[in-house]
């Protein structure tokens, strides 16, 4: 059973600080990795994808991938109250047509 | 919604009743997916289809049925055999980044 693990939180971060979200996965054959943001009552929206080891930056968001340690993380700089949401990690395994999702981490930014 | 339309937004089902959730896309994507989301359990795959007239069971297909007669449409029927259908149902297509784009979802409640 291929698994994706996330700390469910809640994670509370002061406004303006860096929020760090982590995700581990069980299968070394994993190929691509995604972070989704989901506001309460809404559907998930894709905010970052990463395929290679290292960092990928997009505005205030940075995704970090370490395949040797089998983890992927999301950093949110200069956190804003609008960043308060549940963040879902998803993994695509090689040869698999579907994504496997973690249960999500609930993030609250404190003004 | 990125060209994916789910309807209705809210749906109420009586015991023993079959209901059908609609998912339509105008993005010309081949792959379409149905997920179910329950609190604290993340997203679980019900069915997916990679091409017209073909579909595969996901992890929790029991009590559900689908059809894929047109590329644009992938309806999900929740049958009376599904004993705990109350959940948030999400339809998705697979986009060029290899991640998903989700519809706005249907919230199904048993009354």
């Amino acid at each position: 059973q291929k698994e994706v693990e996330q700390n469910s939180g809640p994670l509370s971060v002061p406004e303006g600080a860096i929020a760090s979200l982590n995700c581990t996965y069980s299968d070394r054959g994993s190929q691509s990795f995604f972070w989704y943001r989901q506001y309460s009552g809404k559907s998930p929206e894709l905010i970052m994808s990463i395929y290679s080891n290292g960092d990928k930056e997009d505005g205030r968001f940075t995704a970090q991938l370490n395949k040797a340690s089998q983890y992927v993380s999301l950093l949110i700089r200069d956190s804003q109250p609008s960043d308060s949401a549940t963040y879902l990690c998803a993994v695509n395994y090689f040869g698999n047509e579907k994504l496997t999702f973690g249960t999500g981490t609930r993030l609250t930014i404190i003004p | 919604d990125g060209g994916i339309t789910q309807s209705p937004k809210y749906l109420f089902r009586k015991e023993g009743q079959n209901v059908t959730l609609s998912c339509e896309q105008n993005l010309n994507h081949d792959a379409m997916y149905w997920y179910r989301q329950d609190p604290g359990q993340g997203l679980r795959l019900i069915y997916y289809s990679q091409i017209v007239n073909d579909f595969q069971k996901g992890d929790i297909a029991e009590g559900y049925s689908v059809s894929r007669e047109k590329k644009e449409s992938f309806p999900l029927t929740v049958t009376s055999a599904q004993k705990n259908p109350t959940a948030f149902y999400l339809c998705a297509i697979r986009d060029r980044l290899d991640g998903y784009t989700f519809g706005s979802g249907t919230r199904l409640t048993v009354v």
Side-chain angles (χ1 to χ4, degrees), chain A residues 1 31-32 34 36 38 40-46 49 51 86 88 92 96-104, chain B residues 9 33 35 37 40-43 45 48 50 59 88 90 94-95 97-105 107:
Chain A
Q1 181 81 8
Q31 186 177 33
S32 42
F34 307 89
Y36 288 82
Q38 186 175 24
S40 180
K42 303 295 185 183
S43 62
E45 56 178 324
L46 180 67
S49 60
Y51 306 94
T86 296
L88 302 171
N92 179 229
N96 199 322
E97 295 301 324
K98 64 177 184 177
L99 295 184
T100 300
F101 287 83
T103 55
Chain B
K9 188 169 184 173
Y33 303 78
Y35 279 84
Q37 187 175 36
Q41 293 197 43
L43 296 170
L45 181 65
Y48 65 104
Q50 296 175 257
D59 301 317
F88 189 40
L90 290 159
R94 193 160 186 172
D95 64 22
L97 296 176
D98 221 32
Y100 289 171
T101 298
F102 287 93
S104 58
R107 197 165 297 278

